[in-house]
């Protein structure tokens, strides 16, 4: 039995297309996905605004809420919760140059329209969390944007959301690059500073994704620890990543088991989940996988997460303290390796 509740997004089961090649698997319907998610052992679903309400740009505010109610009924039917709603500000023609920090005022307005509609959808789905993955908030051409102005626009946008709804919580999902070159808000340190600069810091926190930290050259466990020290780690996307290249969203722990262990350990030691936070697994199956393997990365990630939870449970704190007191870090390191290597 795990101490954690786990969540997943519909995008984590996908058709296998990448930047250089077409789909390799067929599309699976939303309902079929969530039935399987439940079956695998997930407790909650993560949503982009248009995962919940497709084609939302052409719907009225009232129609958007009506559509979201149908999704809520589906979640209730399968006894699943909604964890968060994230405005998808990277697919639309209005966000070619970014959303909240676009150089076009019309596009910035569109981004706010989507953010407010995301809040309405979250309220309808019964969740209080809005995730901002700031995909295109940054530069491709450095001189095209002022880093000062962009940061101020981002804070203004967050203030707008905090004002629009008095209960909503905003989680900034930091990422240093991809699809843009240089992000306005690349790390947890940046997210915490933006929180502090907002009109209600108690409602602005962070979501750490392992792969995103690795892309920034940082250790995910340290990023988790930093946000937890501020009391502001309200979401995680555990996965793995082989070095500083394109975002891979590999199964949790498959590249660096010790690093994965330390993420689990820091979450457990600091009581992550005590306020209802979920462990999200933002993983993608390999392109080579056949149709009937569409969920294997999720099953594997969950299995690895739970196995690492058991390892962290077994961690001998007395021995650690002894090693620390004696400054015998070679012994401590070998102890960790043996813990991980021995069944
Ligand atoms: C990209 C991501 C995103 C976010 C998602 C929810 C598509 O690297 O991690 O997945 O997690 O948009 O915030
Ligand atoms: Mg993510």
């Amino acid at each position: 039995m795990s101490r954690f509740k786990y969540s997943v997004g519909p995008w984590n089961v996908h058709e296998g297309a990448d930047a250089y090649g077409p789909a390799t698997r067929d599309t699976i319907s939303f309902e079929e996905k969530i039935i399987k998610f439940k079956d695998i052992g997930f407790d909650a679903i993560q949503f982009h605004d248009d995962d919940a309400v497709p084609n939302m740009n052409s719907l009225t505010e009232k129609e958007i809420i009506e559509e979201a109610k149908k999704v809520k009924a589906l979640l209730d039917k399968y006894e699943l919760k909604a964890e968060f709603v994230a405005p998808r500000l990277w697919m639309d023609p209005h966000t070619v140059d970014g959303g909240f920090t676009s150089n076009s005022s019309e596009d910035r307005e569109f981004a706010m329209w989507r953010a407010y509609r995301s809040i309405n959808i979250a309220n309808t789905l019964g969740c209080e969390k809005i995730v901002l993955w700031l995909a295109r908030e940054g530069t491709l051409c450095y001189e095209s944007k002022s880093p000062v102005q962009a940061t101020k626009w981002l804070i203004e946008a967050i203030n707008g959301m905090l004002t629009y709804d008095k209960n909503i919580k905003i989680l900034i999902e930091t990422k240093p690059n991809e699809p843009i070159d240089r992000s306005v808000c690349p790390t947890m340190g940046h997210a915490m500073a933006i929180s502090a600069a907002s009109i209600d810091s108690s409602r602005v926190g962070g979501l750490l994704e392992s792969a995103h930290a690795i892309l920034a050259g940082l250790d995910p466990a340290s990023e988790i620890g930093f946000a937890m020290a501020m009391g502001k780690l309200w979401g995680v996307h555990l996965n793995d990543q082989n070095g500083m290249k394109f975002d891979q969203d590999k199964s949790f722990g498959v590249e660096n088991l010790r690093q994965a262990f330390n993420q689990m350990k820091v979450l457990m030691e600091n009581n992550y989940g005590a306020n209802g936070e979920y462990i999200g697994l933002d993983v993608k199956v390999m392109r080579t996988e056949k149709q009937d393997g569409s969920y294997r990365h999720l099953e594997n990630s969950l299995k690895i997460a739970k196995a690492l939870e058991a390892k962290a449970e077994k961690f001998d704190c007395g021995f650690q303290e002894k090693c620390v007191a004696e400054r015998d870090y070679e012994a401590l390191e070998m102890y960790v390796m043996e813990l991980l290597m021995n069944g």
Side-chain angles (χ1 to χ4, degrees):
M1 231 345 240
S2 172
R3 69 161 72 190
F4 294 118
K5 291 182 295 175
Y6 286 87
S7 65
V8 60
W11 63 87
N12 293 121
V13 171
H14 70 117
E15 294 82 5
D18 66 18
Y20 297 97
T24 57
R25 291 178 294 274
D26 300 334
T27 302
I28 299 173
S29 76
F30 175 72
E31 185 165 2
E32 200 184 319
K33 284 182 188 177
I34 65 167
I35 293 171
K36 185 73 180 168
F37 291 157
K38 177 78 186 180
D39 189 44
I40 294 172
F42 287 95
D43 306 287
I45 308 297
Q46 313 172 356
F47 288 91
H48 294 128
D49 50 1
D50 56 1
D51 288 326
V53 183
N55 305 317
M56 58 187 287
N57 285 355
S58 52
L59 302 181
T60 64
E61 293 175 24
K62 199 161 158 275
E63 286 167 338
I64 289 172
I65 292 174
E66 288 312 311
E67 287 305 306
K69 279 184 186 163
K70 294 180 194 162
V71 177
K72 171 73 171 120
L74 265 189
L75 292 177
D76 289 347
K77 180 172 170 195
Y78 298 108
E79 295 179 335
L80 286 159
K81 300 278 183 214
E83 182 190 9
F84 66 68
V85 178
R88 196 190 319 246
L89 294 178
W90 53 94
M91 287 292 213
D92 201 276
H94 289 99
T95 58
V96 170
D97 192 34
F100 307 127
T101 67
S102 166
N103 279 330
S104 146
S105 62
E106 207 182 297
D107 290 353
R108 292 199 301 279
E109 255 171 56
F110 170 79
M112 291 314 293
W113 186 85
R114 287 288 289 253
Y116 296 147
R117 299 298 76 75
S118 294
I119 294 172
N120 295 348
I121 294 170
N123 284 331
T124 311
L125 297 183
C127 66
E128 55 166 19
K129 289 179 178 156
I130 297 294
V131 166
L132 302 181
W133 170 44
L134 301 165
R136 297 192 191 279
E137 315 299 354
T139 55
L140 293 175
C141 168
Y142 194 78
E143 295 76 13
S144 67
K145 285 179 186 160
S146 151
V148 175
Q149 180 65 75
T151 306
K152 287 183 178 173
W153 272 334
L154 180 56
I155 295 165
E156 257 175 47
I158 288 173
N159 287 343
M161 290 175 236
L162 294 170
T163 307
Y164 180 79
D165 186 294
K166 296 292 172 210
N167 298 313
I168 212 81
K169 285 194 166 134
I170 295 171
L171 284 63
I172 303 176
E173 181 176 350
T174 53
K175 186 176 182 183
N177 62 280
E178 202 197 22
I180 40 81
D181 181 14
R182 294 168 171 93
S183 163
V184 177
C185 188
T187 70
M188 272 300 134
H190 293 83
M192 297 299 116
I194 285 178
S195 166
S198 74
I199 53 170
D200 187 357
S201 148
S202 72
R203 292 197 286 134
V204 183
L207 182 154
L208 189 277
E209 174 163 324
S210 325
H212 298 178
I214 297 165
L215 285 171
L218 299 172
D219 190 299
S222 302
E223 286 279 90
I224 287 172
F226 184 82
M228 289 197 95
M230 311 285 154
K232 289 189 186 299
L233 188 78
W234 301 336
V236 288
H237 275 173
L238 299 187
N239 59 13
D240 215 342
Q241 168 77 22
N242 173 25
M244 294 164 92
K245 50 183 85 170
F246 64 96
D247 186 5
Q248 297 177 310
D249 294 335
K250 290 190 173 202
S251 289
F252 181 52
V254 299
E255 279 299 321
N256 190 334
L257 199 58
R258 184 176 177 188
Q259 197 169 255
F261 166 72
N262 280 312
Q263 291 172 65
M264 196 48 93
K265 184 166 166 292
V266 71
L267 289 170
M268 288 166 68
E269 285 173 354
N270 295 284
N271 228 1
Y272 183 80
N275 300 311
E277 300 91 350
Y278 293 93
I279 290 192
L281 296 172
D282 198 359
V283 292
K284 290 210 171 75
V285 78
M286 285 177 244
R287 185 164 191 267
T288 45
E289 197 59 26
K290 301 186 184 81
Q291 188 71 22
D292 62 1
S294 293
Y295 298 87
R296 280 171 77 193
H297 59 310
L298 289 169
E299 288 162 342
N300 293 347
S301 293
L302 205 51
K303 192 170 173 186
I304 293 167
K306 288 181 181 173
L308 289 175
E309 201 182 320
K311 292 281 184 191
E313 210 71 77
K314 265 173 70 180
F315 185 78
D316 186 344
C317 297
F319 183 72
Q320 179 209 28
E321 277 167 30
K322 184 171 162 290
C323 292
V324 168
E326 292 169 5
R327 212 180 68 199
D328 190 355
Y329 301 160
E330 289 290 353
L332 179 57
E333 183 163 81
M334 197 56 203
Y335 164 70
V336 173
M337 295 316 291
E338 275 173 349
L339 179 70
L340 293 177
M341 288 187 299
N342 299 333

